[in-house]
Amino acid sequence: MTKIKVKSKNVREQTGKSGCSLVFQGGFEEMLSCGYTPLGKTPEFDSAISKIAELISSMTIHLMENRKSGDVRIKNALSRLIDIYPNNWMTRKTFIYNIVYTLLLEGNCISLPITKNGNIESLDLIPPSWVTLLSDNGLGYKVYIQGVEYSPDDVLHFVNNPRFPYPWKGNGYEISLSTVIKNLNQAAKTKNSFMESKWKPSLIIKADAVTDEFGNALDRQAILDNYIKTSREGEPWLIPADVFDITEIKPLSLNDLAINDAVNIDKKTVAAVLGVPEFVVGVGAFNKEEWNNFINTRLKPLCNIIEQEITRKLLISPNWYVRFNVKSLYSYDINTLSTVGANLYTRGIMTGNEVRDWIGENPKEGLDELVILENYIPQGMIGDQKKLNGGGEDNGKTSAAS
């Protein structure tokens, strides 16, 4: 049931090897930059890839078989492994969530199948920091997990955003979004500093007093307590007209600094690069058509990465393949589902229980047959209708009269 050839050594028992690297001075200074923030720590980027991972991991994974009459879903031990318990530590949702999140963040995700007596027992996810992908000086490559060499056929290697000269290797979005992420982080720091700044009084009070009386904080506080402090909130101030002059000031706001406009532009750039709707990163409002287009153009291709790798590496039968239930993510309302379901039911395309399952209702007895036409008769009795045989309810008199 598996094409994977697993090494005799188990990855759980392997010990890692140490390594070192050399960095030139310019790169060293860049690495030590105090302003560096990983992509995963940026709220806009994290919210976008988290939403993608959340949606894809919420879909069930079907094990399908090609047949002459159409593709049929198969339920067996392998389908349960893929869709319910891929390993001893994760459910399918957690497993797929980690794969998609790592794909978008790192570009590569490795899963090592563990077999026993020819059967797959577990699909272990390998942390990206344990994995090294090196060219074999040809068109292929080798996978190293904590220093132990594996052939690409021995692991599930999910690849996103591949590029030459290494088309087998995925890439993250650090280069595409480095400047944008830097601007977003700087805007957040500027906003926090602006909001936390104490140099934003709403009033300036000029007092006619000797300079010595303002020499320390206690004297200034005494003047405020004597003249400005009130016993209850909202009580008016009573101050000598010739002693105090109160002026209202308006400090700079975030709109004056044009931060919000610049942040919205950068957020839209993040959304465009990752292929998510703008409202996912906090810009704009929900749009049904935009959401459905997002599922078709962004989520489906990511699902194909996982589907094709599992089908190619784990399934022996050429008639089997895995498929995500993408239909469950489209934005439907109950009126649309009921209308489409009723039309398919009356045309003999879906059974009544299939329609009930669409709208989230339990099946009912007697609704498992296909019906057609306005009479709602079983599909197998279509040819028995009297009006198709020249007869009618009055034993043919109506037909003869006409």
Side-chain angles (χ1 to χ4, degrees):
M1 193 174 292
T2 175
K3 294 181 180 179
I4 297 292
K5 305 184 293 297
V6 182
K7 303 286 186 180
S8 59
K9 294 182 179 180
N10 194 314
V11 69
R12 302 169 188 165
E13 302 173 355
Q14 295 163 1
T15 57
K17 296 183 179 180
S18 61
C20 63
S21 60
L22 298 177
V23 183
F24 292 104
Q25 181 177 358
F28 182 71
E29 294 174 353
E30 182 178 352
M31 291 173 63
L32 292 181
S33 172
C34 297
Y36 173 73
T37 302
L39 282 179
K41 300 296 184 181
T42 305
E44 291 78 9
F45 184 86
D46 181 71
S47 64
I49 63 177
S50 295
K51 173 63 69 174
I52 295 175
E54 185 72 28
L55 291 171
I56 294 180
S57 63
S58 66
M59 291 184 284
T60 56
I61 304 177
H62 298 169
L63 177 60
M64 307 296 295
E65 182 178 18
N66 290 318
R67 295 182 182 177
K68 292 182 179 180
S69 58
D71 296 348
V72 177
R73 183 180 178 184
I74 301 175
K75 296 181 180 180
N76 54 23
L78 181 59
S79 67
R80 288 181 59 84
L81 173 75
I82 297 174
D83 187 50
I84 300 176
Y85 53 88
N87 55 52
N88 294 330
W89 311 281
M90 301 179 186
T91 60
R92 178 256 304 161
K93 181 170 181 59
T94 308
F95 181 75
I96 298 298
Y97 184 98
N98 278 275
I99 290 177
V100 177
Y101 193 94
T102 304
L103 269 180
L104 295 172
L105 189 62
E106 304 287 343
N108 299 276
C109 183
I110 299 293
S111 175
L112 181 64
I114 304 300
T115 63
K116 183 178 181 180
N117 299 326
N119 295 321
I120 302 175
E121 280 195 333
S122 177
L123 299 175
D124 292 356
L125 279 182
I126 307 301
S129 59
W130 293 11
V131 178
T132 303
L133 304 175
L134 296 178
S135 173
D136 62 358
N137 296 322
L139 298 178
Y141 66 103
K142 296 293 183 182
V143 180
Y144 293 88
I145 301 176
Q146 290 188 313
V148 179
E149 180 183 313
Y150 290 84
S151 169
D153 292 335
D154 296 334
V155 299
L156 297 177
H157 180 196
F158 305 102
V159 180
N160 180 50
N161 197 22
R163 298 174 184 175
F164 279 103
Y166 306 115
W168 39 263
K169 185 178 182 180
N171 296 275
Y173 296 94
E174 293 90 348
I175 298 177
S176 303
L177 294 176
S178 58
T179 303
V180 175
I181 296 301
K182 181 180 179 181
N183 293 340
L184 288 172
N185 290 330
Q186 184 60 52
K189 292 178 181 178
T190 302
K191 180 180 177 181
N192 291 336
S193 299
F194 183 83
M195 299 301 294
E196 294 175 358
S197 175
K198 64 180 180 180
W199 304 111
K200 295 185 298 182
S202 57
L203 293 174
I204 292 180
I205 301 176
K206 293 188 294 184
D208 184 11
V210 182
T211 305
D212 294 342
E213 296 179 357
F214 297 94
N216 58 68
L218 293 177
D219 293 336
R220 293 193 296 272
Q221 186 62 43
I223 295 176
L224 290 175
D225 292 339
N226 290 334
Y227 295 98
I228 307 302
K229 188 175 181 180
T230 58
S231 59
R232 65 178 183 272
E233 186 177 354
E235 185 178 359
W237 296 345
L238 296 177
I239 57 177
D242 297 332
V243 177
F244 289 97
D245 180 18
I246 300 177
T247 303
E248 181 182 2
I249 64 171
K250 295 182 179 181
L252 287 175
S253 66
L254 292 176
N255 289 331
D256 296 326
L257 298 178
I259 288 182
N260 290 334
D261 294 337
V263 168
N264 286 340
I265 292 175
D266 289 336
K267 285 184 177 181
K268 291 180 179 180
T269 303
V270 173
V273 172
L274 294 179
V276 301
E278 293 178 355
F279 59 81
V280 172
V281 294
V283 183
F286 175 81
N287 182 281
K288 179 179 177 181
E289 287 71 21
E290 187 179 4
W291 177 262
N292 291 336
N293 181 66
F294 162 59
I295 295 173
N296 283 326
T297 60
R298 187 51 174 156
L299 296 190
K300 272 189 175 181
L302 287 172
C303 290
N304 290 338
I305 295 173
I306 302 174
E307 293 168 348
Q308 293 176 12
E309 183 69 0
I310 293 178
T311 300
R312 186 170 70 98
K313 298 284 185 66
L314 294 187
L315 307 183
I316 293 179
S317 174
N319 296 325
W320 287 9
Y321 67 95
V322 296
R323 182 183 68 185
F324 281 89
N325 184 25
V326 181
K327 284 193 307 181
S328 62
L329 296 184
Y330 289 108
S331 180
Y332 298 119
D333 55 55
I334 191 64
N335 290 331
T336 302
L337 286 176
S338 59
T339 301
V340 175
N343 290 333
L344 295 176
Y345 175 64
T346 58
R347 286 165 173 77
I349 298 174
M350 295 180 67
T351 66
N353 281 330
E354 287 175 329
V355 176
R356 290 180 63 85
D357 181 65
W358 260 28
I359 59 178
E361 298 293 334
N362 295 326
K364 281 192 173 182
E365 188 176 354
L367 292 180
D368 289 324
E369 287 188 284
L370 293 173
V371 299
I372 202 168
L373 296 180
E374 71 278 4
N375 297 323
Y376 299 98
I377 63 174
Q379 189 182 46
M381 299 178 60
I382 294 176
D384 297 336
Q385 297 179 86
K386 292 182 179 180
K387 64 181 180 180
L388 298 179
N389 297 323
E393 294 181 356
D394 54 353
N395 296 325
K397 293 181 180 179
T398 303
S399 299
S402 62

